[in-house]
Amino acid sequence: MYYLTTHIRVVAALLIREMSTRFGNKPGGYIWAILDPAAHIAFMSMIFMAIARLPALGTSFPLFFATGYIAFQFYAAMCGFLNGAIKSNRTLLSYPNVAPIDTIVARYILQASTTVFVAICVFGAIILTMHQPPELYWPAILEAAFAATLLGLGVGIFNTVMFLRFPFYEQVFNILNRPMFLISGVFFLPDALPGPIREVVLFNPLVHVVMLFRQGFYPQYRAAELDMFYLYSFVFTAIFAGLFVFTNSAAVARGR
């Protein structure tokens, strides 16, 4: 119990430090965290409203793109924030009570809370402007968000080690990760794609996250290609690989 209490206090202290570092030094703080996704969603909505009469689901372009963008952000923001957890806190690892995993846990809690806060603000604003508010199915929404954060956690843990040990890997990952936003179902429905392309796209686990997330906002959306077994297999494989590399890395133990 003593060690557990100590680590809880350490995580709480790191959480406060991360909040201060990330939001305390910026004008507006959390306002920028809301304005960034809101601007992306508004921009995408204006473009597609100019070339199409209706979105692929429902009648609201902002809601359609928000369900894709926010679902993707639960993974992308988590992964990006965790990638540098050890590198950014290496000076604190010299303290005997601070373990490398504490930095991961603190950043996971902060990023998950931030994305939830942003999602509530963005969807709340969109729903208030709609004539017919959507009928929300909370189990699908919460499960998709949780699965996305777990996937980001697994990839982030793996990357925080590999970025320290192999700087070249960081460049390769950034190049490969950049097009993920375009092929994760944010702009389209995988069910509507031609057969060969659809089969390739479905290998991306984030496509399944977005489909599940959209089911929570569109009761009529069946998501015939959704494969929860594949999604969770990928999620737990990423977490296992990340923890395996993390616990067996001398670079993490030294913080460099």
Side-chain angles (χ1 to χ4, degrees), residues 1-14 95-99 102:
M1 288 299 297
Y2 170 76
Y3 291 107
L4 179 61
T5 303
T6 299
H7 283 296
I8 291 175
R9 290 176 178 174
V10 170
V11 169
L14 289 171
Y95 293 95
N97 288 335
V98 181
D102 293 333

Side-chain angles (χ1 to χ4, degrees), residues 159-190:
N159 284 347
T160 197
V161 177
M162 299 301 288
F163 285 2
L164 287 171
R165 297 184 63 181
F166 307 104
F168 179 71
Y169 168 77
E170 183 174 359
Q171 305 301 322
V172 173
F173 177 82
N174 289 334
I175 293 173
L176 296 178
N177 193 56
R178 199 165 293 143
M180 292 298 290
F181 180 74
L182 301 176
I183 60 174
S184 295
V186 175
F187 304 98
F188 57 87
L189 295 180

Side-chain angles (χ1 to χ4, degrees), residues 109-245:
I109 295 173
L110 176 58
Q111 185 56 58
S113 302
T114 300
T115 311
V116 168
F117 173 73
V118 170
I120 292 173
C121 294
V122 171
F123 284 117
I126 292 174
I127 291 173
L128 286 175
T129 64
M130 298 176 64
H131 297 295
Q132 287 187 322
E135 183 179 339
L136 303 182
Y137 181 60
W138 286 104
I141 296 173
L142 297 177
E143 185 178 7
F146 185 57
T149 60
L150 287 182
L151 181 59
L153 175 65
V155 176
I157 292 175
F158 184 84
N159 284 347
T160 197
V161 177
M162 299 301 288
F163 285 2
L164 287 171
R165 297 184 63 181
F166 307 104
F168 179 71
Y169 168 77
E170 183 174 359
Q171 305 301 322
V172 173
F173 177 82
N174 289 334
I175 293 173
L176 296 178
N177 193 56
R178 199 165 293 143
M180 292 298 290
F181 180 74
L182 301 176
I183 60 174
S184 295
V186 175
F187 304 98
F188 57 87
L189 295 180
D191 316 68
L193 296 175
I197 299 177
R198 182 175 65 247
E199 295 301 321
V200 173
V201 167
L202 289 174
F203 280 110
N204 179 3
L206 294 174
V207 169
H208 301 272
V209 168
V210 174
M211 285 192 289
L212 179 62
F213 195 76
R214 281 191 170 133
Q215 278 191 327
F217 290 85
Y218 299 96
Q220 74 277 18
Y221 181 44
R222 301 304 176 188
E225 303 295 339
L226 176 61
D227 189 342
M228 296 303 299
F229 177 78
Y230 175 77
L231 173 59
Y232 280 115
S233 297
F234 206 99
V235 167
F236 290 120
T237 299
I239 291 177
F240 175 80
L243 290 176
F244 179 81
V245 172

Side-chain angles (χ1 to χ4, degrees), residues 17-39:
R17 179 181 182 273
E18 293 286 359
M19 289 179 63
S20 176
T21 302
R22 187 175 182 184
F23 300 110
N25 298 327
K26 297 179 181 179
Y30 268 90
I31 295 178
W32 291 109
I34 300 171
L35 290 179
D36 181 66

